[in-house]
Amino acid sequence: MSRLKYTALCLAAAFMFVACNTAEYDLKNIIPKEYQKVVCFKNVQEAEWQLFDVGSELSTEFTILRSGGLPELDAETSVVSMTQEELSLYDDDYVLLDPSYYALPTFVKFAPDERYKSFSVTIPYDKILELKANENSLPDGKSYCLALRLNKEGDTSVDSESGFVLRKVYVSEPKMEISISSGNQILSGEKAKITLKLPFENKEFDVKWNVVFESDSYAALNGQESTVLGNSLPAKYNLRPLPLSAIQNADVAGMGAGVNEVSYTIDMPEGREFGNYYLNVSFSDFSINGNPLSVKDSEDGRIEARIKYEYCPNVDMSTMGEPYTAISGRADVIPVDGIIFTPESCDEDSYKKLLDSNVNTFWENRWGSSGYGVGSHIPFLASLDFGSVQELSLMEVWRRSGGYVTDLRKFEVYAAESLDYSDREHIKYTGLVYLGDVDFGGTSNKSRVQLFSLDAAKTRYLLLKFVGSNRGTCISVAELGCWRSKDVQQET
C-alpha cells in the first residue's frame, strides 16, 4: 500500500473516532431547534365522525406522533380546540362543536424515544341528544365540526401540515349493516360469508335478532317447466339445497358488549360436489338493549334473501397459459376429443377451433359473407354433444385474445334430453333443464378465462343460448371445457 493511501486511511479513522464521541454535541448544534422535537397527528386531517342515538356516550380516538432529529430528548405538547375564527380558515361551512361537550388532555408528555401517544374524545349521551336537536336549526349547508390542534409547548415544534384534525360531526339513527340485501343474491368461492356489523363501537350493548336458514323449499321448484329463475327458454330445474350443516355459527342470534361483528360462514363439507347450491335466509326483529334497531337499506327492518351459492375452487385462472389444467387436481375435465360442437351461426369453419385445446384460435359467429347461419344476429343457439352421458357442474370458458376479448358477454346453459343438430342452422331440442349462465359482464372485465359454477347435471347434451355481446352482435369463444368433481360424496 502506498504511503499516501496509508496516511489517508489513518486520517479517516481518526475523524470517525472523534465524530462518534461527539455525535450528540454535533447533532444538537447541527439540527435546528425547530426540527429536533416535532409532533403531529397520525390521523387523517379531515374526516367524518358519525354519532348514534343509542342511549350511551360515544368516543373516537386520536394518536399523536413524535418525530424529529433528537428522539432521545423529552418532548411535550397540548391539545386544544380551535376557535371559530381558526376553523373558518379551513372551511367556513363548519360550525365549531361546543368544546364543553368533551374533555381534552391538558398536557401530553413524551419520554425519551417514546414515539406516540393516544387519547380519546368522548361525548356524553345527553350532549349527543342536544347536538341532534341543534342540527335541525343549522343553516343549510352548515355542519358541526370537532376541530382540534396541537399547541406548541416549550421547544417542541408542531408540524404545520398535520398538527390539526377536523371531524364533521352529525347524529344518525343506528342501523345494523348486513352484507346481503333482500331478493336474489349470489355468494361464491370455496367459502363465503354473510356478515352483520354495528357501525359504532359496542362497549355495553346487547344486540339481538332472529335468523332463519332454510333450503329444502328449493326442491319444490324442480320437475316443472318455468322461467322464474330468469332463463329465457322454458325449462325444468335441478336445484340443490345447501346443506345447513355447512353454515358455521348458524345458531348465533346476537352480539354482546365488546362484539361489533358476527359472520355466518358457508364452509362446505369435504367431498361435496362443486357447483350451485341454494339457500333462503331471513333476518328480523333486531333490537339493541331491548329497543328496536333498524337495518340499513331495509324499510321494515327485515332481510329476506334467496341465495345462490356458487361453490367453486379458488384459483387464479389468469395465470393459466393453457386450458383444462387449472383445477385438474380437484376435478376431472370431460375430454374435448369426440365432443361435437354445432353453432347455428359460424364464420367460415371456425366451429372446429372451439375444442382444439388452443387458446389462440377461436370460433366466432357469422359476420361476413362466408360461413353459415344468420349473420350479425343474436340470440342464437349452439349444441354440445358429449357422445355419452356425463356429469358436470363447472364450465371453463376462454375468450379470444387481443382487443376483442370482451366480445362474449353472456350465454345460458341447458341440459337437454335430446338434440337434433342435423340442420345446423335450426337446432331442435326437447326436455331442457336450466343449469345457469356464463356471464362475463361488461367491457370493464378484461379477463380471458373464467371458471363458472352450474347446477349439477348428468346429460349427454348441452344447449347454449348466446344472448349477450359487448360488441354489437359479435360472439367469439376460444375454448370451452366442462368439469366434474372428483371423489364426490353423495348426501345422505
Side-chain angles (χ1 to χ4, degrees):
M1 181 183 294
S2 69
R3 184 179 298 272
L4 181 60
K5 288 183 178 179
Y6 181 82
T7 302
L9 286 173
C10 289
L11 290 173
F15 175 78
M16 291 176 65
F17 176 79
V18 173
C20 289
N21 282 275
T22 60
E24 182 177 353
Y25 175 80
D26 287 341
L27 286 175
K28 284 183 178 179
N29 286 276
I30 293 173
I31 300 175
K33 278 195 173 183
E34 60 268 28
Y35 299 121
Q36 292 180 6
K37 300 183 292 182
V38 184
V39 291
C40 67
F41 279 108
K42 178 183 178 181
N43 313 78
V44 296
Q45 269 46 71
E46 191 166 0
E48 294 185 352
W49 183 15
Q50 188 177 17
L51 301 175
F52 299 93
D53 181 358
V54 290
S56 176
E57 65 183 24
L58 293 173
S59 302
T60 188
E61 187 175 82
F62 297 98
T63 298
I64 304 171
L65 298 179
R66 178 264 178 85
S67 60
L70 295 177
E72 65 272 18
L73 301 180
D74 291 331
E76 65 178 359
T77 186
S78 58
V79 186
V80 298
S81 169
M82 291 185 187
T83 64
Q84 181 64 59
E85 291 74 18
E86 289 174 320
L87 178 57
S88 297
L89 295 176
Y90 295 97
D91 192 328
D92 56 12
D93 284 333
Y94 280 150
V95 176
L96 184 69
L97 183 69
D98 189 340
S100 67
Y101 279 19
Y102 55 88
L104 294 173
T106 305
F107 284 99
V108 180
K109 295 186 177 182
F110 291 87
D113 295 317
E114 191 173 17
R115 296 297 185 178
Y116 67 91
K117 280 186 176 291
S118 298
F119 69 94
S120 293
V121 171
T122 301
I123 299 184
Y125 179 56
D126 63 323
K127 297 301 183 183
I128 293 175
L129 292 179
E130 186 177 316
L131 178 63
K132 183 178 179 180
N134 291 341
E135 283 180 330
N136 296 326
S137 60
L138 283 176
D140 289 345
K142 298 288 186 178
S143 304
Y144 284 110
C145 180
L146 171 70
L148 307 178
R149 63 176 177 82
L150 299 177
N151 205 38
K152 178 174 169 43
E153 299 291 344
D155 54 1
T156 300
S157 301
V158 176
D159 186 276
S160 59
E161 295 184 357
S162 53
F164 69 94
V165 286
L166 306 177
R167 293 294 180 267
K168 179 181 177 180
V169 181
Y170 55 97
V171 182
S172 300
E173 179 187 6
K175 293 186 177 183
M176 178 67 76
E177 298 175 356
I178 305 179
S179 62
I180 59 171
S181 56
S182 292
N184 296 326
Q185 302 287 300
I186 295 177
L187 300 176
S188 59
E190 291 193 50
K191 293 185 180 181
K193 287 184 178 182
I194 302 171
T195 301
L196 284 67
K197 184 178 181 180
L198 288 173
F200 52 86
E201 185 179 2
N202 181 15
K203 291 184 176 180
E204 58 185 61
F205 303 116
D206 183 27
V207 182
K208 296 184 181 300
W209 59 84
N210 288 332
V211 58
V212 177
F213 294 101
E214 183 276 326
S215 60
D216 289 340
S217 62
Y218 282 95
L221 294 173
N222 296 336
Q224 302 178 26
E225 280 197 350
S226 176
T227 57
V228 69
L229 295 185
N231 44 300
S232 61
L233 299 176
K236 296 179 181 180
Y237 302 124
N238 184 33
L239 308 181
R240 293 181 296 180
L242 180 83
L244 299 186
S245 60
I247 304 172
Q248 297 180 359
N249 291 334
D251 58 344
V252 174
M255 58 179 78
V259 180
N260 268 69
E261 183 177 304
V262 165
S263 290
Y264 301 93
T265 302
I266 300 176
D267 187 3
M268 296 292 279
E270 186 175 352
R272 186 69 62 175
E273 185 178 11
F274 292 122
N276 295 336
Y277 293 84
Y278 294 85
L279 169 72
N280 292 324
V281 60
S282 171
F283 293 102
S284 62
D285 300 326
F286 286 86
S287 66
I288 180 168
N289 286 354
N291 299 312
L293 176 63
S294 298
V295 176
K296 186 177 180 180
D297 299 326
S298 172
E299 294 182 359
D300 60 1
R302 299 176 63 88
I303 295 293
E304 302 280 352
R306 298 178 296 277
I307 296 173
K308 178 171 74 171
Y309 172 47
E310 299 176 337
Y311 179 40
C312 197
N314 290 333
V315 58
D316 184 3
M317 299 294 290
S318 66
T319 64
M320 299 297 109
E322 58 185 54
Y324 320 136
T325 59
I327 57 172
S328 56
R330 306 185 62 185
D332 294 318
V333 69
I334 299 174
V336 296
D337 295 341
I339 298 177
I340 300 173
F341 170 67
T342 307
E344 288 185 332
S345 178
C346 183
D347 183 59
E348 297 180 341
D349 59 354
S350 62
Y351 67 91
K352 299 177 181 178
K353 302 175 182 178
L354 179 69
L355 301 172
D356 63 357
S357 299
N358 184 350
V359 298
N360 297 312
T361 62
F362 55 89
W363 155 76
E364 60 183 333
N365 64 328
R366 184 181 179 189
W367 56 269
S369 59
S370 59
Y372 67 86
V374 179
S376 299
H377 175 77
I378 53 174
F380 63 89
L381 303 177
S383 66
L384 285 175
D385 182 351
F386 297 125
S388 62
V389 174
Q390 302 288 337
E391 297 183 26
L392 64 123
S393 57
L394 300 171
M395 183 172 283
E396 175 181 339
V397 182
W398 287 74
R399 298 193 287 186
R400 67 190 294 180
S401 60
Y404 295 143
V405 66
T406 62
D407 275 9
L408 174 63
R409 177 168 183 148
K410 179 179 179 180
F411 62 85
E412 299 171 357
V413 183
Y414 300 84
E417 183 178 337
S418 69
L419 283 178
D420 180 357
Y421 48 86
S422 58
D423 180 357
R424 58 188 182 182
E425 296 185 32
H426 302 92
I427 296 174
K428 297 179 177 62
Y429 52 85
T430 63
L432 295 185
V433 176
Y434 177 59
L435 305 183
D437 297 334
V438 166
D439 191 350
F440 282 90
T443 55
S444 61
N445 180 8
K446 307 294 185 183
S447 299
R448 276 205 71 193
V449 55
Q450 284 185 215
L451 192 63
F452 293 89
S453 171
L454 299 172
D455 294 344
K458 294 182 180 181
T459 184
R460 172 178 171 173
Y461 304 106
L462 286 186
L463 182 74
L464 313 180
K465 183 176 181 180
F466 291 87
V467 296
S469 169
N470 286 312
R471 188 166 66 100
T473 57
C474 297
I475 299 289
S476 56
V477 184
E479 289 293 323
L480 189 153
C482 297
W483 292 84
R484 55 175 174 257
S485 299
K486 287 180 180 285
D487 305 323
V488 175
Q489 297 177 6
Q490 299 299 323
E491 184 175 2
T492 59

